Amino acid sequence: MSTNFGGLAAARGADRLVRDHFCVKPGETVLVTADTQSDLLAAESILSAARVLGAEAVLLLVSQLPFQGKLADPYIPAVLRKAIQECDVWVDLTFPYLAGSDAHDLVMGQKRCRYLLLGNLTAKGVENLFGVTDLDRLFAFQKAFDDYIAGHEGDEGRITNPAGTDVSFTLGKTATKKLRHVDVPGAYTPLGSGIFFPVPETVRGQVVLDAVFHEYYVALQTPIRLEIDGQIASIEGGGAHAQTMDRALRRAAGGAYGRVIHFSYGFHPAAQFAGRSFIEDIRACGTNAIGFGVPWWEPGGGENHPDGVVTQQSLWIGGEQLISDGAIVAPAELLDPAEALSRSDSS
């Protein structure tokens, strides 16, 4: 007799995701999209949790897309385009993902659907991100960090790490917002990572990447080093992955290398950096997901960009150090919710 212990491992996380975080109600239509490389235990756990709540839940499996964003448009089946127009909640486990595609943007413009980008999250990752940590405490720090960043637009920032990253920038305008209870239409990513946007032409220095999402996600045996002077000037290291990164950067920026679009800070106490799930890895404490290419507000920009991952980051904003080797050290409005979060356990 076979036993699906993997599904049991994700059950609590899937329930909290669907019921408590995304506020699914009886009678709502929930669509879970996955591809041929997805962890189907994760998809099935979310599907089951939605059905228990009385939702009309459907799983749609497609061939893995070669690219994300608008680059994926030629490869999206017509049946998927139609299905996403009929749902109230769309949980996306495809990777490369559908966010930023024309099909996705059309549905978001209709202002009916609540979309969650889970990418290559595993069943264990569903449990780690949603089932282990007190979501109220997680959101309390999320809001405190996001509010701090929003209040320091125009300040100078600096990011370093032990591997040799040392990059400076001017902090731009905040452009995203996360909710504790997702009950209004829009596109969302999981709690546990705070994104911040530099003014792209001000970014200067060196970034040393421990992992990359170029055409797929991989932890690097040899780091990739990017020199940046407003634009990406050069790529070194990484072995054969430098070639793949070169292709991805040029594809995203119309033949050039492009610029830095975003930085982030991962602070989820239960996220595990295992080098397998981009979505979970970038929420592990101290990580920084850096997007490269064309900013979303410019023609050709958006979710077409590759990302690199920096670990154990230190961060300064306006001359004050917020993060040291991945841990919050100041100011008080961040320290207090960070300490409460570090003691968080929902069991």
Side-chain angles (χ1 to χ4, degrees):
M1 181 179 67
S2 63
T3 305
N4 187 344
F5 289 111
L8 291 173
R12 178 174 59 171
D15 174 69
R16 288 178 176 164
L17 185 168
V18 171
R19 174 181 51 82
D20 184 32
H21 183 42
F22 253 66
C23 305
V24 170
K25 300 176 180 62
E28 285 194 307
T29 300
V30 176
L31 174 66
V32 181
T33 51
D35 64 42
T36 46
Q37 296 301 311
S38 298
D39 183 346
L40 292 184
L41 290 176
E44 291 168 3
S45 69
I46 296 165
L47 189 75
S48 296
R51 292 185 64 188
V52 167
L53 289 175
E56 182 179 306
V58 178
L59 171 62
L60 184 56
L61 183 68
V62 298
S63 297
Q64 187 179 36
L65 301 167
F67 311 117
Q68 81 272 27
K70 287 181 171 52
L71 296 174
D73 282 322
Y75 309 96
I76 299 176
V79 65
L80 190 155
R81 293 175 183 272
K82 293 179 180 179
I84 61 178
Q85 295 183 45
E86 300 298 328
C87 64
D88 301 298
V89 173
W90 173 16
V91 181
D92 185 16
L93 284 159
T94 63
F95 193 82
Y97 43 76
L98 289 156
S101 65
D102 284 342
H104 168 271
D105 290 351
L106 175 63
V107 173
M108 291 298 99
Q110 294 171 351
K111 299 187 183 304
R112 168 187 172 184
C113 176
R114 312 194 297 278
Y115 169 84
L116 179 61
L117 195 168
L118 290 187
N120 58 350
L121 197 64
T122 65
K124 183 64 165 62
V126 171
E127 176 66 7
N128 290 344
L129 295 192
F130 298 97
V132 177
T133 299
D134 185 305
L135 295 182
D136 290 330
R137 291 185 180 182
L138 185 65
F139 180 72
F141 182 82
Q142 179 87 57
K143 185 176 186 305
F145 183 83
D146 292 347
D147 287 350
Y148 184 92
I149 293 295
H152 286 77
E153 179 184 350
D155 282 359
E156 295 305 305
R158 181 187 177 202
I159 295 168
T160 68
N161 85 332
T165 294
D166 194 341
V167 63
S168 62
F169 56 93
T170 299
L171 193 59
K173 186 177 181 178
T174 297
T176 60
K177 183 178 181 180
K178 296 189 179 185
L179 303 177
R180 169 62 180 89
H181 298 289
V182 180
D183 55 2
V184 294
Y188 301 92
T189 57
L191 301 174
S193 175
I195 191 168
F196 49 103
F197 298 87
V199 178
E201 58 270 21
T202 68
V203 181
R204 286 175 172 78
Q206 177 176 253
V207 171
V208 182
L209 304 178
D210 298 299
V212 291
F213 170 32
H214 37 43
E215 294 172 356
Y216 51 93
Y217 180 61
V218 62
L220 297 168
Q221 294 182 330
T222 304
I224 287 178
R225 296 182 300 279
L226 300 178
E227 293 292 335
I228 303 167
D229 186 9
Q231 291 191 320
I232 300 169
S234 66
I235 304 175
E236 296 180 356
H241 287 290
Q243 300 173 9
T244 314
M245 190 66 170
D246 177 274
R247 285 200 306 267
L249 287 170
R250 295 183 186 279
R251 186 183 297 116
Y257 275 162
R259 294 166 284 169
V260 172
I261 303 170
H262 65 70
F263 298 107
S264 75
Y265 171 55
F267 53 81
H268 198 305
Q272 300 176 7
F273 193 110
R276 293 189 296 271
S277 170
F278 174 70
I279 295 299
E280 182 172 7
D281 283 1
I282 64 174
R283 285 165 176 77
C285 292
T287 56
N288 186 336
I290 306 177
F292 306 104
V294 178
W296 59 269
W297 58 88
E298 295 182 9
E303 293 292 348
N304 299 321
H305 64 268
D307 287 89
V309 180
V310 167
T311 60
Q312 292 182 268
Q313 69 172 311
S314 296
L315 172 66
W316 291 258
I317 298 292
E320 180 175 24
Q321 186 170 14
L322 276 64
I323 302 165
S324 177
D325 293 333
I328 291 287
V329 294
E333 59 261 42
L334 297 183
L335 273 173
D336 291 344
E339 290 175 358
L341 179 58
S342 70
R343 299 189 298 271
S344 175
D345 187 338
S346 62
S347 60

